[in-house]
Amino acid sequence: MGPSQKPNVCGRLSRRALGFFSRDAGMVQRTNLGILRALVCQESTKFKNVWTTHSKSPIAYERGRIYFNNYRCCVSSVASEPRKLYEMPKCSKSEKIEDALLWECPVGEMLPNPSDYKSSLIALTAHNWLLRISATTGKVLEKIYLASYCKFRYLSWDTPQEVIAVKSAQNKGSTLARQAGIQQPVLLYLAVFRVLPFSLIGILEINKEIFGNVTDATLSHGILIVMYSSGLVRLYSFQAITKQFMQQKLDLGCACRWGGTTGTVGEAPFGIPCNIKITDTPPLLFEVSSLENAFQIGGHPWHYIITPNKKKQKGVFHICALKDNSLNENLPTVTASGRVVKRSFTILDDDPEQETFKIVDYEDELDLLSVVAVTQIDAEGKAHLDFHCNEYGTLLKSIPLMESWDVTYSHEVYFDRDLVLHIEQKPSRVFSCYVYQMVCDPGEEEETTDKRSKRDHNNFRF
């Protein structure tokens, strides 16, 4: 028999956090995360590239799961080599999953079915079906047919883990209509649902005759955000709009008569009628001008983040108080391109001729600021992932990425506890995924390296 496998650090910490070793799970969880942060940042800890895979379709990552083939194949990333959790049967192009969100069981709520207490993937297909899929088996648990009058394409959380918004593609009108100068008044549709159990709030149309020459719209935290080409961003209360302009309340699975047609709401071919049609300009909550409509809102008290509406300010974000639009001088000004990231006491700066910051993110569980920095050496770029203390900006750890980094490609980097994952999109829609795992024991590291030198098991293709 070979040597017994050492217990996984994250697995042991998770077991303790669930109460296996203490009744005070909250306190233990905070302690565990402090221990994990110390392990991640200590000098002897390494992150090894344990496997690499390539795909001709987009690759997505969500909470320990890597999705291939337009979300139809799910692989666990918590292993030294890919472990397939499920693969859904092949489907036609019209049944392809175009977007998806991971839903996780809420705490403290009674749910109707035992399967509801497990994670689900909420998926949108190319032929306008909204599916709830088991995140562990790939089985379709629920399905809703949206509509035939538009093409739904995007999923987002209105309220995280509670309310979703399904946005349609923008209505460009037919070629003949455009040539004749005929403009389509409806830009797009937003379908809004509460999740688990699925219940319909309504479908809202964004009409240019009401909002003017609007270029885009979205829903976030109960706020309808409408955007214009000038950089203007306007905010409206979705609740107030629903109360004032809902034509008829619709319930999924119930019979409905609409426009002379009778059918079941959420079933094909009837689908869901657009039941929220704004006939007058709703009350404006707030408006602001921002370059490329860059706008975020949150915090306590309320603040918003914008980019000043000048081209030379691209990549610079200002944090302003919602109550009086004043710029908060005590909060940092952050650049998206990585030129300067100001923390409380330290400035992280790059040298564009030698090294540039490409991705800056915050790991909330470990309270670490992660920065991907790229150095260009002749025609090849090399990247490293740096962890900084979120409070002081101090560099705590630097992890070199073994693969080359081409700045002309699209890149995503995820840091999730003991995992670093790099997804790269190359020309001609070739996607690569590089998985790194934390290694604390030098002996284990040498053993792994020796095994990999004998057999190249880290190169998989999906």
Side-chain angles (χ1 to χ4, degrees):
M1 292 180 61
S4 60
Q5 187 175 3
K6 296 183 179 181
N8 179 272
V9 172
C10 285
R12 185 166 56 186
L13 296 180
S14 296
R15 284 172 57 83
R16 289 174 55 189
L18 293 171
F20 283 85
F21 304 97
S22 171
R23 294 182 180 180
D24 189 355
M27 178 62 72
V28 173
Q29 174 72 343
R30 288 189 293 273
T31 303
N32 287 344
L33 292 174
I35 295 171
L36 182 56
R37 173 181 161 133
L39 288 173
V40 166
C41 296
Q42 71 182 6
E43 187 177 352
S44 61
T45 298
K46 308 295 181 184
F47 280 77
K48 299 294 295 182
N49 178 210
V50 291
W51 59 274
T52 298
T53 188
H54 310 280
S55 173
K56 293 184 179 180
S57 62
I59 302 173
Y61 173 77
E62 190 74 51
R63 293 188 179 272
R65 297 179 177 91
I66 305 173
Y67 295 95
F68 300 91
N69 301 335
N70 301 111
Y71 293 95
R72 303 194 75 84
C73 178
C74 179
V75 173
S76 172
S77 65
V78 190
S80 58
E81 61 184 50
R83 180 172 62 87
K84 188 180 293 185
L85 297 178
Y86 65 81
E87 185 166 13
M88 300 172 68
K90 291 185 178 180
C91 66
S92 65
K93 189 175 180 180
S94 66
E95 297 174 296
K96 180 186 73 171
I97 295 175
E98 295 212 326
D99 203 359
L101 296 171
L102 183 66
W103 180 89
E104 296 181 296
C105 173
V107 177
E109 293 187 24
M110 295 295 293
L111 301 175
N113 301 305
S115 63
D116 296 343
Y117 289 92
K118 297 182 179 180
S119 299
S120 301
L121 196 68
I122 299 174
L124 174 65
T125 70
H127 60 338
N128 276 3
W129 282 89
L130 189 65
L131 310 178
R132 184 167 73 89
I133 302 168
S134 168
T136 54
T137 66
K139 180 182 177 182
V140 176
L141 304 174
E142 289 183 79
K143 55 191 303 186
I144 298 168
Y145 181 64
L146 296 174
S148 59
Y149 50 81
C150 68
K151 171 74 170 80
F152 284 99
R153 185 165 289 171
Y154 311 102
L155 283 176
S156 63
W157 289 110
D158 171 32
T159 304
Q161 302 296 315
E162 294 181 14
V163 179
I164 61 168
V166 191
K167 185 163 80 170
S168 74
Q170 294 193 5
N171 185 6
K172 303 295 185 181
S174 66
T175 304
L176 290 175
R178 291 198 302 272
Q179 290 175 347
I182 301 173
Q183 296 227 348
Q184 296 293 327
V186 178
L187 177 70
L188 56 85
Y189 294 87
L190 290 167
V192 188
F193 298 85
R194 292 186 183 89
V195 293
L196 230 60
F198 268 125
S199 62
L200 173 69
I201 296 176
I203 295 186
L204 165 71
E205 67 174 21
I206 302 299
N207 197 310
K208 293 182 179 180
E209 294 177 352
I210 300 299
F211 293 103
N213 195 25
V214 57
T215 56
D216 201 3
T218 189
L219 202 62
S220 178
H221 292 84
I223 301 295
L224 175 65
I225 303 173
V226 178
M227 290 158 273
Y228 299 82
S229 58
S230 64
L232 185 66
V233 179
R234 287 178 172 161
L235 275 61
Y236 303 88
S237 167
F238 178 67
Q239 184 179 12
I241 290 173
T242 301
K243 185 176 181 181
Q244 183 176 356
F245 299 107
M246 181 179 285
Q247 297 180 334
Q248 179 181 335
K249 189 178 186 311
L250 302 175
D251 295 312
L252 295 174
C254 294
C256 171
R257 183 170 181 81
W258 192 277
T261 304
T262 301
T264 302
V265 178
E267 294 185 5
F270 187 76
I272 305 172
C274 177
N275 64 333
I276 306 175
K277 295 191 176 183
I278 301 175
T279 55
D280 194 11
T281 306
L284 180 67
L285 294 179
F286 177 76
E287 71 175 15
V288 69
S289 182
S290 181
L291 185 67
E292 299 177 351
N293 303 119
F295 176 84
Q296 290 187 350
I297 188 169
H300 180 77
W302 287 98
H303 281 72
Y304 62 90
I305 304 176
I306 61 167
T307 296
N309 200 5
K310 297 178 182 178
K311 287 186 178 180
K312 65 180 181 180
Q313 295 288 315
K314 185 174 182 179
V316 175
F317 299 91
H318 286 180
I319 302 176
C320 304
L322 186 64
K323 64 177 182 180
D324 57 8
N325 299 325
S326 61
L327 180 65
N328 194 323
E329 301 292 347
N330 295 322
L331 291 174
T333 300
V334 183
T335 72
S337 61
R339 287 295 175 267
V340 178
V341 180
K342 295 183 180 177
R343 305 305 302 167
S344 301
F345 304 102
T346 305
I347 297 179
L348 308 181
D349 203 356
D350 63 0
D351 183 344
E353 294 183 358
Q354 298 182 21
E355 184 179 75
T356 55
F357 296 162
K358 293 301 179 182
I359 302 173
V360 179
D361 202 2
Y362 174 62
E363 215 300 322
D364 57 346
E365 289 187 317
L366 302 185
D367 195 29
L368 291 173
L369 189 71
S370 64
V371 178
V372 176
V374 178
T375 303
Q376 197 72 23
I377 304 174
D378 297 327
E380 186 179 81
K382 298 298 291 185
H384 53 91
L385 177 63
D386 295 340
F387 298 149
H388 294 263
C389 171
N390 184 58
E391 185 175 1
Y392 300 108
T394 311
L395 177 63
L396 302 175
K397 186 79 175 176
S398 185
I399 302 169
L401 301 182
M402 297 296 101
E403 64 277 6
S404 61
W405 184 293
D406 191 319
V407 294
T408 65
Y409 298 169
S410 174
H411 299 268
E412 297 174 65
V413 175
Y414 300 91
F415 168 49
D416 192 354
R417 294 195 175 185
D418 66 339
L419 174 82
V420 171
L421 188 138
H422 173 206
I423 297 175
E424 175 186 59
Q425 180 180 349
K426 300 176 183 177
S428 304
R429 292 183 62 81
V430 175
F431 299 84
S432 297
C433 177
Y434 309 89
V435 178
Y436 293 77
Q437 285 189 333
M438 186 173 75
V439 178
C440 293
D441 186 346
E444 181 180 339
E445 179 184 340
E446 292 172 4
E447 181 182 348
T448 304
T449 304
D450 183 62
K451 286 182 179 179
R452 287 176 57 194
S453 66
K454 291 179 180 178
R455 60 184 183 94
D456 183 18
H457 72 276
N458 73 320
N459 197 5
F460 299 86
R461 187 172 294 274
F462 286 88

PDB file of all heavy atoms in Angstrom, residues 119-133:
ATOM      1  N   SER A 119     -27.854  23.006  -4.668  1.00  0.00           N
ATOM      2  CA  SER A 119     -27.557  24.052  -5.650  1.00  0.00           C
ATOM      3  C   SER A 119     -28.160  23.718  -7.011  1.00  0.00           C
ATOM      4  O   SER A 119     -28.237  22.551  -7.408  1.00  0.00           O
ATOM      5  CB  SER A 119     -26.050  24.229  -5.799  1.00  0.00           C
ATOM      6  OG  SER A 119     -25.472  24.621  -4.579  1.00  0.00           O
ATOM      7  N   SER A 120     -28.573  24.771  -7.708  1.00  0.00           N
ATOM      8  CA  SER A 120     -29.140  24.618  -9.046  1.00  0.00           C
ATOM      9  C   SER A 120     -28.486  25.601 -10.000  1.00  0.00           C
ATOM     10  O   SER A 120     -28.020  26.666  -9.597  1.00  0.00           O
ATOM     11  CB  SER A 120     -30.653  24.868  -9.042  1.00  0.00           C
ATOM     12  OG  SER A 120     -31.327  23.997  -8.177  1.00  0.00           O
ATOM     13  N   LEU A 121     -28.474  25.218 -11.266  1.00  0.00           N
ATOM     14  CA  LEU A 121     -28.025  26.113 -12.325  1.00  0.00           C
ATOM     15  C   LEU A 121     -29.270  26.633 -13.037  1.00  0.00           C
ATOM     16  O   LEU A 121     -30.075  25.847 -13.534  1.00  0.00           O
ATOM     17  CB  LEU A 121     -27.129  25.356 -13.303  1.00  0.00           C
ATOM     18  CG  LEU A 121     -26.264  26.196 -14.247  1.00  0.00           C
ATOM     19  CD1 LEU A 121     -25.177  26.933 -13.464  1.00  0.00           C
ATOM     20  CD2 LEU A 121     -25.651  25.318 -15.323  1.00  0.00           C
ATOM     21  N   ILE A 122     -29.446  27.946 -13.035  1.00  0.00           N
ATOM     22  CA  ILE A 122     -30.556  28.550 -13.768  1.00  0.00           C
ATOM     23  C   ILE A 122     -30.019  28.913 -15.145  1.00  0.00           C
ATOM     24  O   ILE A 122     -29.089  29.712 -15.273  1.00  0.00           O
ATOM     25  CB  ILE A 122     -31.094  29.783 -13.038  1.00  0.00           C
ATOM     26  CG1 ILE A 122     -31.614  29.378 -11.650  1.00  0.00           C
ATOM     27  CG2 ILE A 122     -32.206  30.443 -13.839  1.00  0.00           C
ATOM     28  CD1 ILE A 122     -32.033  30.538 -10.785  1.00  0.00           C
ATOM     29  N   ALA A 123     -30.584  28.300 -16.182  1.00  0.00           N
ATOM     30  CA  ALA A 123     -30.017  28.397 -17.526  1.00  0.00           C
ATOM     31  C   ALA A 123     -31.042  28.940 -18.510  1.00  0.00           C
ATOM     32  O   ALA A 123     -32.247  28.667 -18.419  1.00  0.00           O
ATOM     33  CB  ALA A 123     -29.528  27.024 -17.988  1.00  0.00           C
ATOM     34  N   LEU A 124     -30.545  29.707 -19.482  1.00  0.00           N
ATOM     35  CA  LEU A 124     -31.368  30.263 -20.555  1.00  0.00           C
ATOM     36  C   LEU A 124     -30.930  29.632 -21.867  1.00  0.00           C
ATOM     37  O   LEU A 124     -29.749  29.672 -22.224  1.00  0.00           O
ATOM     38  CB  LEU A 124     -31.187  31.782 -20.612  1.00  0.00           C
ATOM     39  CG  LEU A 124     -31.865  32.517 -21.766  1.00  0.00           C
ATOM     40  CD1 LEU A 124     -33.384  32.411 -21.659  1.00  0.00           C
ATOM     41  CD2 LEU A 124     -31.431  33.983 -21.809  1.00  0.00           C
ATOM     42  N   THR A 125     -31.868  29.035 -22.599  1.00  0.00           N
ATOM     43  CA  THR A 125     -31.532  28.379 -23.861  1.00  0.00           C
ATOM     44  C   THR A 125     -31.765  29.315 -25.044  1.00  0.00           C
ATOM     45  O   THR A 125     -32.441  30.340 -24.936  1.00  0.00           O
ATOM     46  CB  THR A 125     -32.367  27.101 -24.074  1.00  0.00           C
ATOM     47  OG1 THR A 125     -33.730  27.465 -24.324  1.00  0.00           O
ATOM     48  CG2 THR A 125     -32.294  26.197 -22.847  1.00  0.00           C
ATOM     49  N   ALA A 126     -31.206  28.922 -26.189  1.00  0.00           N
ATOM     50  CA  ALA A 126     -31.316  29.747 -27.395  1.00  0.00           C
ATOM     51  C   ALA A 126     -32.755  29.843 -27.891  1.00  0.00           C
ATOM     52  O   ALA A 126     -33.107  30.801 -28.586  1.00  0.00           O
ATOM     53  CB  ALA A 126     -30.424  29.175 -28.498  1.00  0.00           C
ATOM     54  N   HIS A 127     -33.603  28.868 -27.543  1.00  0.00           N
ATOM     55  CA  HIS A 127     -35.000  28.934 -27.999  1.00  0.00           C
ATOM     56  C   HIS A 127     -35.951  29.371 -26.878  1.00  0.00           C
ATOM     57  O   HIS A 127     -37.115  28.966 -26.821  1.00  0.00           O
ATOM     58  CB  HIS A 127     -35.440  27.620 -28.644  1.00  0.00           C
ATOM     59  CG  HIS A 127     -35.383  26.407 -27.768  1.00  0.00           C
ATOM     60  ND1 HIS A 127     -34.593  26.308 -26.656  1.00  0.00           N
ATOM     61  CD2 HIS A 127     -36.044  25.219 -27.854  1.00  0.00           C
ATOM     62  CE1 HIS A 127     -34.766  25.120 -26.102  1.00  0.00           C
ATOM     63  NE2 HIS A 127     -35.635  24.449 -26.803  1.00  0.00           N
ATOM     64  N   ASN A 128     -35.403  30.227 -25.984  1.00  0.00           N
ATOM     65  CA  ASN A 128     -36.223  30.967 -25.014  1.00  0.00           C
ATOM     66  C   ASN A 128     -36.858  30.110 -23.918  1.00  0.00           C
ATOM     67  O   ASN A 128     -37.934  30.439 -23.407  1.00  0.00           O
ATOM     68  CB  ASN A 128     -37.333  31.766 -25.732  1.00  0.00           C
ATOM     69  CG  ASN A 128     -36.835  33.109 -26.241  1.00  0.00           C
ATOM     70  OD1 ASN A 128     -35.660  33.431 -26.112  1.00  0.00           O
ATOM     71  ND2 ASN A 128     -37.728  33.893 -26.816  1.00  0.00           N
ATOM     72  N   TRP A 129     -36.190  29.036 -23.533  1.00  0.00           N
ATOM     73  CA  TRP A 129     -36.620  28.293 -22.353  1.00  0.00           C
ATOM     74  C   TRP A 129     -35.723  28.673 -21.172  1.00  0.00           C
ATOM     75  O   TRP A 129     -34.500  28.779 -21.310  1.00  0.00           O
ATOM     76  CB  TRP A 129     -36.530  26.785 -22.590  1.00  0.00           C
ATOM     77  CG  TRP A 129     -37.672  26.248 -23.416  1.00  0.00           C
ATOM     78  CD1 TRP A 129     -37.726  26.155 -24.775  1.00  0.00           C
ATOM     79  CD2 TRP A 129     -38.915  25.725 -22.930  1.00  0.00           C
ATOM     80  NE1 TRP A 129     -38.917  25.608 -25.165  1.00  0.00           N
ATOM     81  CE2 TRP A 129     -39.682  25.337 -24.058  1.00  0.00           C
ATOM     82  CE3 TRP A 129     -39.458  25.541 -21.661  1.00  0.00           C
ATOM     83  CZ2 TRP A 129     -40.957  24.774 -23.955  1.00  0.00           C
ATOM     84  CZ3 TRP A 129     -40.721  24.986 -21.551  1.00  0.00           C
ATOM     85  CH2 TRP A 129     -41.459  24.609 -22.683  1.00  0.00           C
ATOM     86  N   LEU A 130     -36.342  28.858 -20.026  1.00  0.00           N
ATOM     87  CA  LEU A 130     -35.626  29.094 -18.770  1.00  0.00           C
ATOM     88  C   LEU A 130     -35.663  27.788 -17.981  1.00  0.00           C
ATOM     89  O   LEU A 130     -36.746  27.278 -17.664  1.00  0.00           O
ATOM     90  CB  LEU A 130     -36.289  30.228 -17.985  1.00  0.00           C
ATOM     91  CG  LEU A 130     -35.548  30.748 -16.750  1.00  0.00           C
ATOM     92  CD1 LEU A 130     -34.228  31.398 -17.142  1.00  0.00           C
ATOM     93  CD2 LEU A 130     -36.421  31.748 -15.983  1.00  0.00           C
ATOM     94  N   LEU A 131     -34.482  27.237 -17.670  1.00  0.00           N
ATOM     95  CA  LEU A 131     -34.400  25.932 -17.018  1.00  0.00           C
ATOM     96  C   LEU A 131     -33.787  26.057 -15.636  1.00  0.00           C
ATOM     97  O   LEU A 131     -32.926  26.910 -15.400  1.00  0.00           O
ATOM     98  CB  LEU A 131     -33.533  24.978 -17.848  1.00  0.00           C
ATOM     99  CG  LEU A 131     -33.836  24.835 -19.345  1.00  0.00           C
ATOM    100  CD1 LEU A 131     -32.829  23.883 -19.995  1.00  0.00           C
ATOM    101  CD2 LEU A 131     -35.257  24.345 -19.562  1.00  0.00           C
ATOM    102  N   ARG A 132     -34.227  25.186 -14.734  1.00  0.00           N
ATOM    103  CA  ARG A 132     -33.516  25.003 -13.467  1.00  0.00           C
ATOM    104  C   ARG A 132     -32.935  23.595 -13.482  1.00  0.00           C
ATOM    105  O   ARG A 132     -33.668  22.614 -13.562  1.00  0.00           O
ATOM    106  CB  ARG A 132     -34.430  25.190 -12.250  1.00  0.00           C
ATOM    107  CG  ARG A 132     -33.638  25.090 -10.924  1.00  0.00           C
ATOM    108  CD  ARG A 132     -34.462  25.578  -9.743  1.00  0.00           C
ATOM    109  NE  ARG A 132     -35.507  24.653  -9.359  1.00  0.00           N
ATOM    110  CZ  ARG A 132     -35.360  23.652  -8.492  1.00  0.00           C
ATOM    111  NH1 ARG A 132     -34.168  23.433  -7.939  1.00  0.00           N
ATOM    112  NH2 ARG A 132     -36.364  22.868  -8.187  1.00  0.00           N
ATOM    113  N   ILE A 133     -31.597  23.519 -13.405  1.00  0.00           N
ATOM    114  CA  ILE A 133     -30.876  22.265 -13.578  1.00  0.00           C
ATOM    115  C   ILE A 133     -30.142  21.930 -12.285  1.00  0.00           C
ATOM    116  O   ILE A 133     -29.523  22.809 -11.667  1.00  0.00           O
ATOM    117  CB  ILE A 133     -29.863  22.388 -14.736  1.00  0.00           C
ATOM    118  CG1 ILE A 133     -30.583  22.764 -16.032  1.00  0.00           C
ATOM    119  CG2 ILE A 133     -29.055  21.124 -14.909  1.00  0.00           C
ATOM    120  CD1 ILE A 133     -29.639  23.187 -17.147  1.00  0.00           C
TER     121      ILE A 133
END
